[in-house]
Amino acid sequence: MSLSLAIHEREEKKSKPDYDNLRFGAEFTDHMFMMDYSTEDGWHEPRIIPYQPLTMDPSSLVFHYGQAVFEGLKAYHFQDKLLLFRPEKNFKRLNESNRRMNIPEIDENFMVDALKELVKLEKDWIPTKEGQSLYIRPFIIATEASLSVKPSSRYKLIIILSPVGAYYSNSEQMSPVSIFVEDDYVRSVKGGVGFTKTAGNYAASLKAQKKAEELGYDQVLWLDAIEKKYIEEVGSMNIFFKINGEVITPALNGSILEGITRNSVIELLKSWDIPVTERLISIEEVEAAHENGTLEEVFGTGTAAVISPVGTLKWKGTDLSINNGETGKLSLDLYETIAGIQTGMMEDKMGWTVTVQA
Ligand SMILES: *Cc1c(COP(=O)(O)O)cnc(C)c1O
């Protein structure tokens, strides 16, 4: 079925927030994208409408049994153009989440085109200072009114947009984070839903995150759920270790989220001829490398920060200090290159950015 996008513009535009004091995800633009699904009609009625509250039946399945998936990416203003970073990968991953959560698949190409239209309409909402961007949140929720435990027969796909400030105002400000290695709570298990961006994964992680904060750490590092031995990922970032010149990241195993930043880092390292391996890596191996002085750098990767250097790992009562708590050279090079490509400041030899003519 071919879909055609309707655009209903708001008559009176909202006033713009103070772009120098943006809080993450606190302000939303004038419009949003919406599309409905029903078993009779499939995905239908894609439309851009004024940003507005939803009216939903309290028995809607999403409120009870959590059938909900989401994505996150950013748009940047570059001169007279708007840039999206690998948006096709986000809609591909949304479909991977959909398949696991029994939500009907979407047309990925159509969604990239619809997103371009939405971003173009909201171009004045993309702040223009270095590092500032428009955060894009696509999500799908189950809307059938029913208390039966079953896949919903109705859904809504919505995209909302939020102007966000620079994560680091410049690369000198990349301050390393401290990480608590969690060996009590677990995030996900093979056969479960850890590889999807589904709402419940985040609800289930809050308790451990709060515990880490109370102990004075920024984020949680998750271990595998069975042996509590192998490293999985950090909060909502993937993780990399540089040991004796080799860069190692946990292999995708069904319980780790396949980050688009993770994939970009791996491809860049390969193009730079820096050895990079996806494999099992245990916390003991990291501790041993720290002990014998070969643990050179540790960093997280994700859309929000791009690269987040790790300065401290807390494991079983000991604080392991990494690179004297300073940002390593590789972390910095990766940040400058990926952020440079995303913002248009650096030539995109990888062909990652998608340009929207404003
Ligand atoms: C979104 C997310 C990531 C990072 O993915 P990116 O596509 O790089 O933003 C990593 N881990 C989890 C659990 C996530 O939700």
Side-chain angles (χ1 to χ4, degrees), residues 172-244:
E172 281 97 78
Q173 292 208 337
M174 289 179 79
S175 48
V177 294
S178 61
I179 303 253
F180 182 82
V181 182
E182 176 59 57
D183 63 356
D184 182 12
Y185 298 115
V186 299
R187 175 180 174 273
S188 83
V189 66
K190 279 187 196 61
V193 298
F195 67 95
T196 69
K197 270 184 128 67
T198 190
N201 282 341
Y202 304 84
S205 74
L206 299 175
K207 184 101 178 161
Q209 175 63 28
K210 188 158 169 270
K211 171 180 152 192
E213 283 169 18
E214 280 167 5
L215 293 167
Y217 296 85
D218 298 312
Q219 294 204 35
V220 169
L221 186 140
W222 299 105
L223 299 177
D224 78 277
I226 310 286
E227 296 182 65
K228 314 265 180 74
K229 172 178 167 135
Y230 296 105
I231 291 167
E232 300 232 307
E233 56 183 312
V234 169
S236 49
M237 293 192 290
N238 296 109
I239 188 150
F240 288 75
F241 299 86
K242 182 165 176 256
I243 300 178
N244 210 8

Side-chain angles (χ1 to χ4, degrees), residues 27-275:
E27 309 274 358
F28 297 93
T29 68
D30 285 310
H31 300 91
M32 63 195 208
F33 171 89
M34 190 182 278
M35 177 165 78
D36 296 300
Y37 177 91
S38 66
T39 31
E40 314 82 71
D41 298 325
W43 284 111
H44 62 278
E45 224 189 314
R47 55 208 187 269
I48 291 174
I49 54 176
Y51 188 95
Q52 59 192 272
L54 303 176
T55 303
M56 288 175 69
D57 194 292
S59 71
S60 296
L61 281 166
V62 67
F63 296 137
H64 306 277
Y65 310 125
Q67 242 189 324
V69 294
F70 70 93
E71 272 303 323
L73 68 158
K74 286 176 173 177
Y76 292 88
H77 227 131
F78 176 63
Q79 295 165 354
D80 56 345
K81 287 179 263 166
L82 313 172
L83 300 178
L84 295 170
F85 187 71
R86 312 184 85 182
E88 67 289 348
K89 286 214 163 263
N90 290 93
F91 289 108
K92 185 164 179 271
R93 186 169 65 188
L94 188 60
N95 265 341
E96 270 156 31
S97 300
N98 284 341
R99 282 189 286 272
R100 179 63 180 84
M101 301 306 290
N102 232 295
I103 295 173
E105 287 177 45
I106 46 144
D107 178 336
E108 296 165 22
N109 293 327
F110 176 81
M111 287 311 305
V112 172
D113 289 341
L115 176 60
K116 286 187 191 172
E117 288 302 318
L118 179 63
V119 166
K120 194 155 82 178
L121 183 66
E122 303 292 63
K123 62 177 188 295
D124 293 345
W125 283 90
I126 311 185
T128 52
K129 288 208 183 122
E130 196 182 336
Q132 295 180 327
S133 62
L134 187 67
Y135 183 77
I136 301 166
R137 168 55 58 86
F139 64 104
I140 302 177
I141 49 174
T143 53
E144 182 183 341
S146 168
L147 292 183
S148 302
V149 179
K150 60 170 188 182
S152 179
S153 63
R154 285 169 196 279
Y155 299 88
K156 271 188 192 301
L157 188 168
I158 299 171
I159 305 177
I160 54 177
L161 307 174
S162 173
V164 294
Y167 200 87
Y168 309 114
S169 36
N170 57 55
S171 47
E172 281 97 78
Q173 292 208 337
M174 289 179 79
S175 48
V177 294
S178 61
I179 303 253
F180 182 82
V181 182
E182 176 59 57
D183 63 356
D184 182 12
Y185 298 115
V186 299
R187 175 180 174 273
S188 83
V189 66
K190 279 187 196 61
V193 298
F195 67 95
T196 69
K197 270 184 128 67
T198 190
N201 282 341
Y202 304 84
S205 74
L206 299 175
K207 184 101 178 161
Q209 175 63 28
K210 188 158 169 270
K211 171 180 152 192
E213 283 169 18
E214 280 167 5
L215 293 167
Y217 296 85
D218 298 312
Q219 294 204 35
V220 169
L221 186 140
W222 299 105
L223 299 177
D224 78 277
I226 310 286
E227 296 182 65
K228 314 265 180 74
K229 172 178 167 135
Y230 296 105
I231 291 167
E232 300 232 307
E233 56 183 312
V234 169
S236 49
M237 293 192 290
N238 296 109
I239 188 150
F240 288 75
F241 299 86
K242 182 165 176 256
I243 300 178
N244 210 8
E246 181 195 17
V247 183
I248 302 154
T249 192
L252 302 173
N253 60 358
S255 57
I256 296 172
L257 198 286
E258 184 173 0
I260 295 163
T261 321
R262 174 186 183 278
N263 174 270
S264 306
V265 164
I266 292 171
E267 288 190 25
L268 261 188
L269 291 173
K270 286 183 178 163
S271 80
W272 291 346
D273 288 325
I274 293 175

